[in-house]
Amino acid sequence: MGVEIARGVGREGWSEKGSNTFTILRIDPYTSAASTIAMLKELRHDRHTVSLLTDHMVFSPKYRGKVLVVDVAMLAEAIIRKTCKELDIKIIDMSVSSDHIHLFIQYPPKYSVSFIAKRLKGRTSRILRQEFPELKKWRKKSLWALSCYHGSVGHGWKVVEKYIAEQDRKS
């Protein structure tokens, strides 16, 4: 990690009650000052936690079917964006291809990545199959494959953003 921070550390190392200041305890010599500042801005500040939880998620329809086209793809993206907003999940990048979805998110520590995937896949499957009955004919019970990919990203955001941008160009 590039930076170690503490919240409101006093002279004796004890936390000062009600303090909202952050003190940098140690800086990694291999991390540039610009990336250190950017990293501090990206930290998620909640009532009792400071976190940076990011995930690169990829999921696809059953049998990698090419069903995410035109209106289906647009509605799937809208449903995912709305669901993420409701869950207080920040979408950093997203790409909807005809046979899979890449999602790069920053999420609060109260959720697990499996809960997020379950919520996104369940809601999109239900709504898409209601709106487009031809999807029910294609797969009766569920739209998505049971498995999905999760990659914890950490501070390698540029690599993931570049990869997802390349996926958009391929489609």
Side-chain angles (χ1 to χ4, degrees), residues 5-21:
I5 63 171
R7 182 171 196 235
V9 176
R11 281 183 289 128
E12 295 87 23
W14 296 98
S15 184
E16 297 172 11
K17 192 171 185 176
S19 176
N20 287 326
T21 60

Side-chain angles (χ1 to χ4, degrees), residues 16-71:
E16 297 172 11
K17 192 171 185 176
S19 176
N20 287 326
T21 60
F22 289 88
T23 307
I24 297 176
L25 300 176
R26 187 183 66 194
I27 299 177
D28 185 352
Y30 301 106
T31 305
S32 70
S35 66
T36 300
I37 292 167
M39 188 178 2
L40 287 173
K41 286 182 182 175
E42 294 301 327
L43 291 174
R44 178 186 190 94
H45 302 275
D46 294 320
R47 186 170 179 199
H48 298 287
T49 59
V50 177
S51 62
L52 178 62
L53 299 172
T54 54
D55 187 52
H56 175 209
M57 186 182 307
V58 182
F59 50 95
S60 60
K62 287 234 183 205
Y63 309 115
R64 198 75 184 223
K66 296 185 184 302
V67 296
L68 300 171
V69 292
V70 195
D71 293 340

Side-chain angles (χ1 to χ4, degrees), residues 43-105:
L43 291 174
R44 178 186 190 94
H45 302 275
D46 294 320
R47 186 170 179 199
H48 298 287
T49 59
V50 177
S51 62
L52 178 62
L53 299 172
T54 54
D55 187 52
H56 175 209
M57 186 182 307
V58 182
F59 50 95
S60 60
K62 287 234 183 205
Y63 309 115
R64 198 75 184 223
K66 296 185 184 302
V67 296
L68 300 171
V69 292
V70 195
D71 293 340
V72 177
M74 289 190 327
L75 184 57
E77 183 173 348
I79 295 165
I80 290 170
R81 288 192 185 281
K82 182 179 180 206
T83 305
C84 286
K85 187 175 182 179
E86 290 170 3
L87 296 174
D88 196 24
I89 295 171
K90 179 183 173 188
I91 296 176
I92 299 165
D93 205 356
M94 182 175 177
S95 171
V96 179
S97 299
S98 62
D99 63 347
H100 65 284
I101 294 176
H102 283 271
L103 193 57
F104 183 25
I105 58 172

Side-chain angles (χ1 to χ4, degrees), residues 159-170:
V159 175
V160 175
E161 286 175 332
K162 182 181 174 187
Y163 177 76
I164 292 174
E166 287 174 6
Q167 294 298 310
D168 280 338
R169 280 187 239 126
K170 286 181 183 178

